[in-house]
Amino acid sequence: MSAGLVRGVLALESSLIDRVASGRGLGKVLATATTVLALGCAAYGMAMGLWRSPLQSLSAGLKLPALFLATAALTAGLDVVLCGLLRARIRPAQALTASVLAMAILGSVLGSLAPVAAFVSTQASPPQGAASLPTSHWLLTAHVVVLGVAGIIAVSRLRGLLDALIPDTAIARRVLWAWMVTHGVVGAQMSWVLRPFVGNPTLPVRVLRSRPWEGSFFEAVFDMTVARMGPVGPLVIVMLLLGVVVVVASHLDPPIEAFEITPQHIALRRRGARAGFEVPLSSICDVSRESAGVRIHWIMPGRLERSTELLRLASQEEARAAFERIAWASGARRGYRAPS
Amino acid sequence: MLALGAMVVVGLVVASFSGGAQLFVVPLKLCLGLGLCALLCLPSLYVFSSVAGAGQSVRETALALAMGVALIGVLLVALAPVTWLFSQSTDDPLVMGALHVVALVVSATVGVRLVAKVMHALNGRTIAGIRGWGIMFIVVMLQMTTTLRPLVGPFDGVVPPERMFFLEHWAAPAGGDARR
């Protein structure tokens, strides 16, 4: 594990992205990322448990890296399958490396915050039975916020990495959201199984609860919302989640910002994308005009799925000109549909 | 060295409110506190900036932070005559504590801005996330003022009798006689 590679992981340098994109030497990258993840999470875990007792600190220092490593291991197969289903066209090793690299960034952020977390843990009122429950809840909330911030940073870096690996930004975003959901669900349940991390001051210090597999994180959230907000609590949570899903869905497919017709392809680039992607003219099976836009449909050779994309233009005249150029270039005049 | 010298001066001004043993203890506590804050926050500054795409080394990051800390010290020294003036006209440690905290937050904000500017100069572009890191740095400094208490009030031992979070400490100033 070289210092240069560690720095490359932290900064997600372009040389490292190129290495992942080319698929060369991924084993070394994976090993470095896993080490960074384990060390960073161990440091933060120790800081989390420091408030309760040295044993809790040691236990959380082992459990926090275990949580993330287990999440990575349990979701590895699903990550690869999702890439295939979403047509990401990246190799399993690349998908796994990208996923672990994002977690390594999360681990490095957590590790860097460990001294501050340890300082706060040693300065909070010491655990003294039930009287210290508010302090333990406060500390736990603060740690959850820190984990959330570290997760957001990691996801933003993963987004850049996926954009570099997957030419079509829309597919890259679908993969990103799919991974976030799977990692979030599995990670939340793993945190339930491996609890406690901060430690309950009314219970004796233990590495794991007496029945760690009993119940689930989501049942606990359900019970808590019912207890705090009454029977409408879960409904409120579901409505909030649905709102998030709607917002996410509306941002999954950024529109095509530019296109260029070459002798063999149409090069398309989405808004906000670092790079474009190409559609072979020979694979275009239908072209139609829609008001101030042109819709193209294509089927890649050897594939079953039909893809479609709407090119938005500034005016109907521009749309008519673009339609003529694409239809002529692709020979797909049979797909012509006059605008209503 | 500039920061440490400045903190000695600031410590003397802060301690002038109570006098006695505090004149020796508070400057030492402030030097130690500022140094500890910088040490605690250096790893996160390096990692946050690296994750944001900065390319400077750990040494350069430490230098950028040292410049920010030195500026905080200089600003606190510049504000010292104002705080000293108030310390001579009031005998309420709450008022003095609040005044010192305001001076600290203002100085720290300017210091964090300098750190961001140095990072910009080192990398040729703005590094995202420094402001977020700055908030954490200021929170750590505020906690340090509680950890090292009493700073304004009379001498009550070098180590505080109980652990306490700074918001907790501020929320109960009457009971705790504001030993900030």
Side-chain angles (χ1 to χ4, degrees):
Chain A
M1 189 177 71
S2 68
L5 197 52
V6 171
R7 178 164 183 90
V9 169
L10 289 184
L12 212 58
E13 286 171 349
S14 54
S15 59
L16 184 73
I17 294 176
D18 292 343
R19 195 164 162 176
V20 178
S22 67
R24 287 193 312 271
L26 291 184
K28 208 170 178 181
V29 176
L30 206 56
T32 305
T34 308
T35 309
V36 170
L37 168 67
L39 292 178
C41 289
Y44 194 82
M46 289 181 79
M48 279 177 97
L50 205 54
W51 175 73
R52 184 71 179 88
S53 76
L55 177 62
Q56 183 68 48
S57 172
L58 188 66
S59 145
L62 293 171
K63 287 192 294 181
L64 196 64
L67 187 160
F68 285 102
L69 291 172
T71 303
L74 290 171
T75 54
L78 191 57
D79 287 349
V80 173
V81 171
L82 283 169
C83 280
L85 283 175
L86 296 169
R87 292 179 262 163
R89 314 244 192 283
I90 55 173
R91 287 172 25 212
Q94 289 173 308
L96 192 61
T97 307
S99 166
V100 177
L101 271 174
M103 285 197 179
I105 290 169
L106 181 142
S108 66
V109 171
L110 288 180
S112 75
L113 291 172
V116 176
F119 175 59
V120 172
S121 292
T122 53
Q123 295 309 311
S125 309
Q128 290 166 333
S132 301
L133 273 175
T135 308
S136 76
H137 290 159
W138 181 92
L139 277 173
L140 186 61
T141 308
H143 289 308
V144 169
V145 169
V146 169
L147 283 163
V149 170
I152 289 169
I153 293 171
V155 165
S156 69
R157 303 299 288 163
L158 177 62
R159 181 180 164 183
L161 179 58
L162 287 177
D163 279 349
L165 291 177
I166 304 168
D168 189 341
T169 317
I171 293 175
R173 286 199 188 173
R174 283 182 201 141
V175 170
L176 179 69
W177 280 102
W179 283 9
M180 274 172 63
V181 171
T182 54
H183 287 217
V185 169
V186 174
Q189 183 57 20
M190 280 306 302
S191 71
W192 176 264
V193 172
L194 293 175
R195 74 195 189 285
F197 289 93
V198 173
N200 187 327
T202 61
L203 299 174
V205 177
R206 306 182 73 145
V207 176
L208 292 172
R209 288 278 159 82
S210 53
R211 287 189 293 273
W213 296 98
E214 192 175 282
S216 75
F217 175 84
F218 303 99
E219 286 172 57
V221 170
F222 182 87
D223 292 342
M224 195 182 73
T225 50
V226 169
R228 294 266 168 97
M229 303 163 74
V232 294
L235 193 65
V236 172
I237 300 289
V238 168
M239 295 302 285
L240 280 174
L241 284 176
L242 278 176
V244 171
V245 168
V246 168
V247 170
V248 168
S250 65
H251 288 85
L252 273 182
D253 283 330
I256 299 291
E257 190 176 56
F259 71 95
E260 186 185 357
I261 302 171
T262 65
Q264 300 296 324
H265 301 92
I266 298 183
L268 305 169
R269 192 161 60 83
R270 292 187 191 278
R271 184 188 296 160
R274 289 183 181 179
F277 62 102
E278 292 178 334
V279 176
L281 288 171
S282 58
S283 67
I284 294 178
C285 57
D286 193 7
V287 185
S288 60
R289 234 190 82 199
E290 292 183 7
S291 185
V294 177
R295 186 175 290 280
I296 58 173
H297 304 264
W298 70 93
I299 300 174
M300 297 297 275
R303 306 277 175 188
L304 293 174
E305 73 269 18
R306 180 185 169 108
S307 303
T308 180
E309 206 59 66
L310 178 66
L311 317 180
R312 296 180 198 281
L313 292 125
S315 65
Q316 289 201 10
E317 282 309 308
E318 280 188 31
R320 186 193 303 276
F323 167 77
E324 293 296 343
R325 286 173 60 204
I326 296 169
W328 180 81
S330 65
R333 290 170 191 277
R334 60 193 162 80
Y336 177 77
R337 283 198 291 272
S340 54
Chain B
M1 290 307 292
L2 178 65
L4 291 182
M7 292 321 286
V8 169
V9 175
V10 174
L12 287 172
V13 173
V14 173
S16 68
F17 182 77
S18 295
Q22 287 289 69
L23 285 169
F24 300 98
V25 176
V26 174
L28 281 175
K29 279 184 175 180
L30 287 186
C31 291
L32 181 74
L34 197 64
L36 265 177
C37 283
L39 274 179
L40 288 172
C41 294
L42 177 63
S44 48
L45 177 63
Y46 176 68
V47 169
F48 275 45
S49 58
S50 293
V51 167
Q56 84 283 342
S57 64
V58 177
R59 190 169 176 273
E60 287 169 329
T61 312
L63 283 174
L65 181 56
M67 286 173 75
V69 169
L71 182 60
I72 292 172
V74 170
L75 281 170
L76 284 174
V77 168
L79 288 167
V82 181
T83 50
W84 174 81
L85 182 67
F86 280 94
S87 72
Q88 299 308 306
S89 55
T90 180
D91 55 357
D92 188 349
L94 267 179
V95 174
M96 282 317 297
L99 192 63
H100 287 307
V101 165
V102 169
L104 183 65
V105 170
V106 169
S107 308
T109 306
V110 179
V112 168
R113 283 186 67 185
L114 178 66
V115 172
K117 282 182 182 173
V118 174
M119 298 297 247
H120 182 287
L122 284 171
N123 293 284
R125 65 187 180 85
T126 304
I127 302 301
I130 300 293
R131 283 185 183 176
W133 171 86
I135 292 170
M136 188 193 72
F137 180 68
I138 291 172
V139 169
V140 171
M141 287 188 89
L142 293 177
Q143 177 59 43
M144 198 59 83
T145 61
T146 301
T147 302
L148 298 175
R149 72 189 186 279
L151 294 174
V152 176
F155 183 70
D156 189 23
V158 178
V159 181
E162 55 179 333
R163 286 155 47 173
M164 198 180 271
F165 189 58
F166 76 94
L167 288 176
E168 230 177 329
H169 179 50
W170 291 0
D177 71 355
R179 294 169 301 182
R180 191 178 294 127

